Structures are given as C-alpha cells and as structure tokens.
C-alpha cells in the first residue's frame, strides 16, 4: 500500500510535468516517468508481463521516437497563449466530466463476474497468448490491419514530399 | 534467512559486474596495446618496479579511476544543468539492474535451504532484459541534448537512431531462442541446456540457433556502441559524441556504462547460447560422463565449478568484443542503417519463422 502511494505520487508528478512544463523535452521525459510508474503499478497488481511490455513498448520505443522528433525539430520552449474564453470553458467542462467519470468508476464496486481470487496463471505469458490468439483473435487481427494501414500511410506521406 | 540469501545474491551479482568493468578497463587498455603493437599503460608499477615486467594493473585499476573521480566536474554554461546531471545515472542504472536477472549458478543446497542462484528470480526475465535494454537509450539521448553542444547533439541523435534500429534484430534473435526452449525464464533456458544431444554433446543453444547467435552478437555490439558501430562517439568525427561535454566522475560513469554493456552482451550470449553456468556433463550430483563414468561431488563444489564456468564464458565473450573493436574500422552511417534494416532484420524474421515451423513440425526437436 505504501508502495502504491509512492508510485502514484511519482506518476502524478510526471503527468503534471507533461502538461505544465514549457520545454517539450521535459514534457516527453515526464511522460516516460508516468509510463514507468504505471508499469510499476501493473507489477504491483500481479501483472508483471504487462508491466514489462509497458516499459518495452511505451517507455522504450514510442517516447524515444517522440524525443527524437522533438530534438530533430529543435522545438523552442512554448509560449503561453491565453485561450479564448469559450475554448477555456469547454476544456474545463470536458476535464471536469472526465475526472468525475474516473472517480465514479473507480469507487463503484467490482462487477459480479470478476473472481475475487486470481487464477494461478494470471498474467503469465501463456495465459495472455492463449487469450489473445483464441478468444480475442478478431480484435487482434483488426489491430494489426490498422497498424499496417498506418505504416503504409506513413510511407506514402514520406514519399510524396520527395 | 531468505532475506539474507537474497541480499547475498544481489551482492554477488553486483560485485561480478563491478569487478568486470574494472577488469575490462585493464583488458581494453593493455589488450589494445598488444593488438596495435604498443606498450600500453606502463607507468605505475607494483612493488616499486622490482618486477621485470609491468602489466599496467596499478595504472588501470587504481590510477585511472582515482584520476577520473578527482577531476573537476565541468558543466557548460548553456547546458541544461538538471538533465546534464541526470544523464549518466539514466545511462547506467538500467544496465546494472539487467544483471540482476542473469543466472550465475544452478541451485545451492545449504543446511536445508535450496537457493536459486539468480539475484532476481522473475518469471519473464528475458523480457526484463529487453525492457531495460530499451531504456538504456535515454542516457544517450538526454546526455546528447542536455550538453547543448553540436557534437554532443549529433552523437545523441546518431546513438538514438542506431540503438532503435538494432534493438529489433536483438529482440528477434532472442525471440527465436525463447521459441526453441519454450520459456521466458533465463534460468530455465540455462537449465534446459544441461541435456545432451545424442547422449554426448551438451545441448547448448548455439547448436540449435547459430543464426540467432550471430544476430545477437552483432546487434548487441551495435547496442553497446562499440566499433565498428561506434558512430555515436566517433572520436575522429564528433570529438566524443554524446559525452563530449562531460568530465570527471560523470564521464567515468558513461565509460563504465560502456563496459557494463559489454558485460551484458557477453552474459546474454553465454546464457542463451553457451549454457550459462553449465559445465559439460556436470549435473547436480557431480560429473556424468557419456561413457557411464561418473564422479560424485558435493553441492558446494558443483556450484563453485558452475560459477567459475559462468565467469570464464562471460570473460571470453567480453574479450571477443574487445578484439572485434580493435580489429574492425568504423562503418559509414548509411551502411550502418542499411545493414541493420536490410540485412539483420530480414535475417532475424526468417530465423524466427523457421524456428516456429520447426517447433510446430517436430515438437521436441530440442532435447527435453
């Protein structure tokens, strides 16, 4: 429980750095911190595989690419602009709704279908793979098609300019 | 008692990697001198020059680190001070942590306790290695950017691109080994290699996955930014790359990270392809030679033999990397990218596909 509070605190600090820091490099590094802490939370919830994949995919690959692009473009620290009043109100309402929804869903009791005890192979590579490739085969394949489309799109966009 | 054993194992793993860096520093300096027909480190001598030869041990084990740690720590005025300070730690921590999942022995039985000789026995340790390896790139990125110098920045960008590219080949080679042995656990992989092929040859990974071995070794050397893949720190082009603006103890941490990376690549090669701590024909009860001849040994002796075998293998592959470094010239940047993406990656994919087919067709093509 103590571990949870420490990790949650660092995750929040990282998240605040992402949003509030003016330097995009710091924002990206704050994102790394948050993602890493979320991975630790996964590990605390008996899902070590998910934790490792989170570190590998998000912290290790995706944010590195973010950083790479930020550095190549050598973005200047952003300037604060005062948002027009309607936009600010809309953003505030949206954020409040999302936050309220999260709090409500977090405090609701668990659905009755969720077993109170974890099965022995919970979170193991075998059980994940079995679920992914049998029960959730269709969403898995659809996701891979989506990723393929994204890759083709990226190549087409890069080609067009040259 | 359990806590004590865990602490002891952590200390052992940590001491191995720390001493290895020191030893590699010596091998690098004196070995490169041998290769290039120079004398090498020869100033400070043991016993005040009473010995007829000077191995340079005092230079590299005491004078070098002491000198580095006493140098002034210079931070460029325009640098980002916080990140400049942070980068060396970010570079070295994931590497040290990686060593925690490398098994350095089978099990040790002492007074009713059975100790699994790996510092952190986690089930998916192969993934842990990959996750930590993917974090190691941040030290390069942050160091290169925070120095606010053109040379550092070039080094950082080069390093990022190179490490991301070769991580794919590295992962694919490890995936084919995982497929072969059917487990994500490095300790289980090491144990599986204790079997015998046709009752004679040790069932080491190198006999099942020779292509993956070559892939892992090349990609690992690229990950550790060693020549011929040392473009991120190419001395003759961009001064010292991402750590150009570092000095004193921070610089020494970056150099240490280099040596730890060599150690990790060697440990992975050892564990995945050369049986890890396995001594040929040595089981938990003693030697069992193919002819039916056997020597019974106590558990402690077996463990010691395994530990020494692990260290010897580890050191051989470290030496091999240093040998390659001082033998081959640096690659050109476009060749480096083309080699990673157009040669290693397809080769790795084909190897994974082929392994999967073999595993499916001949369930148990490895000795179980």
């Amino acid at each position: 429980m103590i571990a949870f509070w420490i990790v949650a605190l660092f995750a929040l600090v990282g998240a605040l750095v992402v949003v509030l820091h003016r330097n995009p490099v710091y924002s990206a590094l704050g994102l790394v911190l948050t993602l890493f802490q979320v991975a630790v939370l996964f590990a605390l919830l008996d899902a070590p595989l998910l934790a490792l994949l989170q570190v590998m995919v998000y912290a290790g690959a995706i944010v590195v690419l973010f950083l790479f692009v930020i550095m190549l473009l050598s973005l200047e620290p952003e300037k604060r602009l005062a948002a027009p009043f309607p936009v600010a109100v809309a953003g505030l309402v949206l954020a409040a709704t999302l936050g309220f929804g999260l709090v409500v869903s977090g405090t609701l009791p668990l659905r009755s279908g969720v077993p109170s005890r974890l099965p022995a192979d919970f979170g193991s590579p075998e059980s994940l793979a079995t679920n992914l490739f049998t029960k959730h085969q269709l969403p898995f394949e659809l996701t891979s098609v989506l990723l393929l489309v994204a890759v083709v799109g990226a190549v087409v966009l890069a080609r067009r300019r040259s | 008692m359990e806590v004590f054993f865990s602490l002891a194992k952590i200390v052992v793993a940590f001491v191995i990697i720390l001493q290895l860096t020191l030893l590699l520093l010596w091998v690098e300096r004196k070995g490169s001198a041998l290769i290039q027909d120079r004398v090498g480190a020869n100033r400070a001598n043991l016993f005040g020059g009473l010995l007829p030869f000077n191995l340079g041990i005092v230079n590299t084990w005491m004078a070098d680190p002491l000198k580095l740690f006493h140098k002034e720590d210079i931070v460029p005025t325009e640098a980002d001070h916080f990140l400049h300070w942070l980068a060396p730690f970010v570079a070295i921590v994931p590497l040290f942590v990686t060593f925690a999942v490398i098994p350095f022995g089978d099990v040790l039985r002492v007074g009713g306790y059975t100790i699994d000789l790996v510092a952190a026995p986690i089930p998916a340790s192969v993934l842990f290695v990959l996750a930590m390896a993917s974090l190691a790139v941040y030290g390069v990125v942050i160091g290169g950017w925070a120095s606010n110098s053109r040379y550092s920045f070039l080094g950082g960008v080069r390093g990022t691109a190179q490490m991301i590219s070769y991580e794919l080949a590295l992962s694919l080679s490890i995936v084919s080994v995982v497929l072969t042995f059917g487990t994500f656990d490095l300790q289980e992989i090491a144990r599986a290699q204790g079997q015998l092929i046709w009752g004679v040859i040790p069932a080491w990974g190198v006999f099942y996955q020779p292509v993956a071995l070559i892939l892992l070794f090349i990609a690992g050397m690229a990950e550790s930014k060693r020549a011929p893949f040392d473009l991120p720190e190419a001395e003759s082009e961009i001064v010292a790359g991402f750590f150009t603006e570092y000095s004193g103890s921070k610089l020494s941490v970056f150099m240490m990270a280099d040596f730890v990376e060599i150690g990790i690549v060697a440990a992975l090669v050892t564990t995945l392809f050369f049986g890890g701590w396995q001594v040929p024909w040595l089981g938990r009860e003693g030697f069992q030679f193919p002819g039916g001849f056997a020597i019974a040994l106590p558990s402690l002796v077996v463990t010691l033999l395994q530990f020494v075998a692990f260290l010897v293998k580890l050191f051989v592959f470290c030496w091999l990397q240093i040998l390659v470094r001082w033998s081959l010239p640096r690659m050109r940047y476009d060749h480096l990218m083309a080699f990673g993406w157009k040669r290693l990656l397809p080769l790795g994919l084909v190897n994974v596909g082929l392994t999967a087919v073999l595993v499916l067709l001949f369930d148990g093509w490895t000795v179980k």
Side-chain angles (χ1 to χ4, degrees):
Chain A
M1 203 61 199
I2 300 170
F4 169 79
W5 285 111
I6 297 172
V7 171
L9 182 70
F10 273 104
L12 282 179
V13 168
L16 286 176
V17 169
V18 177
V19 184
L20 296 179
H21 209 284
R22 285 182 168 194
N23 193 329
V25 172
Y26 271 90
S27 293
L29 291 175
L31 189 57
V32 177
L33 181 67
T34 304
L35 291 171
F36 197 78
Q37 300 303 324
V38 172
V40 178
L41 284 180
F42 282 146
L44 286 176
L45 289 170
D46 283 318
L49 187 71
L50 207 55
L52 289 175
L53 290 178
Q54 163 101 358
V55 173
M56 241 165 99
V57 176
Y58 284 97
I62 293 181
V63 185
V64 174
L65 287 179
F66 284 3
L67 263 180
F68 193 72
V69 173
I70 291 172
M71 288 178 181
L72 272 188
L73 299 177
S74 66
L75 293 179
E76 295 295 312
E78 61 182 297
K79 293 178 184 67
R80 288 275 149 88
L81 293 177
F85 186 67
V87 179
V89 169
L92 204 64
V93 169
L94 192 65
T97 320
L98 279 177
F100 182 70
L102 274 176
V103 170
V104 168
S105 65
T107 47
L108 282 180
L110 288 177
R111 261 185 302 157
S112 54
V114 180
S116 56
R117 280 177 140 265
L118 294 174
D121 65 341
F122 179 80
S124 74
E126 290 85 359
S127 70
L128 181 91
T130 316
N131 271 317
L132 195 61
F133 293 119
T134 56
K135 218 194 269 176
H136 307 292
Q137 175 87 61
L138 187 67
F140 176 75
E141 293 296 340
L142 286 178
T143 316
S144 63
V145 170
L146 191 67
L147 285 176
L148 185 69
V149 171
V151 169
V152 172
V155 171
V156 168
L157 282 177
R159 277 273 167 93
R160 190 175 291 164
R161 218 187 299 157
S162 64
Chain B
M1 217 45 193
E2 291 293 316
V3 177
F4 170 74
F5 287 140
S6 295
L7 280 177
K9 286 191 293 188
I10 292 170
V11 169
V12 169
F14 204 56
V15 167
I16 292 178
I17 195 62
L18 281 181
Q19 292 304 310
L20 191 73
T21 56
L22 213 53
L23 190 64
L24 286 179
L25 181 66
W26 177 65
V27 170
E28 174 106 327
R29 289 195 64 191
K30 210 62 184 175
S32 66
L34 259 179
I35 291 168
Q36 298 175 336
D37 204 12
R38 291 186 283 116
V39 180
N42 72 338
R43 289 295 103 183
N45 201 354
L46 269 182
F47 311 118
L50 287 178
L51 294 177
F53 45 83
N54 184 351
L55 291 173
I57 290 175
V58 181
N59 289 68
T60 53
W61 286 7
M62 286 146 87
D64 269 11
L66 268 179
K67 182 188 77 179
L68 269 175
F69 275 96
H70 271 91
K71 275 191 175 173
E72 188 190 350
D73 175 32
I74 300 165
V75 182
T77 326
E78 290 291 302
D80 188 312
H81 285 244
F82 174 65
L83 289 184
H84 189 270
W85 166 83
L86 188 70
F89 298 101
V90 176
I92 205 159
V93 168
L95 300 175
F96 273 152
V97 176
T98 308
F99 229 78
V101 296
I102 306 281
F104 50 81
D106 192 4
V107 288
L108 177 62
R109 292 197 198 87
V110 184
Y113 291 98
T114 306
I115 312 163
D116 197 7
L117 289 179
V118 51
I122 59 171
S125 44
V126 170
L127 289 177
F128 184 82
V129 172
L130 288 177
M132 289 303 126
S134 62
L135 285 185
V137 64
Y138 281 107
V140 177
V141 183
I142 299 175
W145 185 80
S147 301
N148 201 2
S149 134
R150 294 290 176 270
Y151 290 127
S152 302
F153 182 67
L154 270 176
V157 170
R158 280 184 181 188
T160 319
Q162 174 177 331
M163 285 168 93
I164 293 177
S165 307
Y166 279 79
E167 214 173 272
L168 292 167
L170 185 83
S171 311
L172 282 176
S173 75
I174 292 181
V175 165
S176 44
V177 177
V178 167
L179 272 176
T180 308
F181 290 108
T183 172
F184 275 109
D185 191 341
L186 281 171
Q187 179 70 293
E188 288 303 318
I189 289 176
R191 284 206 182 109
Q193 295 176 68
Q195 312 291 326
L196 296 176
I197 306 174
W198 304 315
V200 188
I201 311 168
W204 288 356
V206 59
F207 299 117
Y208 297 121
Q209 290 289 349
V211 179
L213 168 63
I214 296 166
L215 277 175
L216 179 76
F217 198 76
I218 296 177
M221 284 203 68
E223 284 284 298
S224 65
K225 307 177 286 293
R226 310 277 295 169
F229 304 106
D230 65 342
L231 288 114
E233 48 193 81
E235 287 96 346
S236 46
E237 301 170 17
I238 48 175
V239 192
F242 59 94
F243 54 73
T244 303
E245 303 294 346
Y246 280 89
S247 61
S249 48
K250 286 182 192 162
L251 174 65
S252 69
V253 169
F254 270 123
M255 287 163 74
M256 209 157 136
D258 260 18
F259 287 121
V260 179
E261 270 180 331
I262 297 176
I264 286 169
V265 173
L268 276 182
V269 169
T270 306
T271 311
L272 296 176
F273 299 101
F274 290 90
W277 38 263
Q278 297 277 1
V279 184
W281 310 299
L282 180 68
R284 280 184 193 176
E285 312 299 330
F287 279 105
Q288 286 281 346
F289 291 108
F293 181 61
I295 307 171
L297 290 171
S299 174
L300 194 65
V301 178
V302 170
T303 303
L304 270 180
L305 280 176
Q306 288 170 343
F307 187 58
V308 171
F310 173 71
L311 290 185
V312 168
K313 290 174 191 174
L314 187 68
F315 189 70
V316 166
F317 291 109
C318 287
W319 167 240
L320 199 61
Q321 286 177 71
I322 289 178
L323 205 63
V324 171
R325 182 203 166 154
W326 292 103
S327 310
L328 293 180
R330 186 177 306 135
M331 289 174 92
R332 217 173 69 191
Y333 196 74
D334 55 332
H335 288 179
L336 175 93
M337 283 294 139
F339 184 61
W341 288 100
K342 293 182 186 164
R343 299 279 184 281
L344 289 187
L345 183 64
L347 192 64
L349 283 172
V350 168
N351 193 39
V352 168
L354 212 61
T355 311
V357 169
L358 276 175
V359 168
L360 260 188
L361 284 185
F362 314 99
D363 189 27
W365 63 298
T366 56
V367 184
K368 288 268 161 43

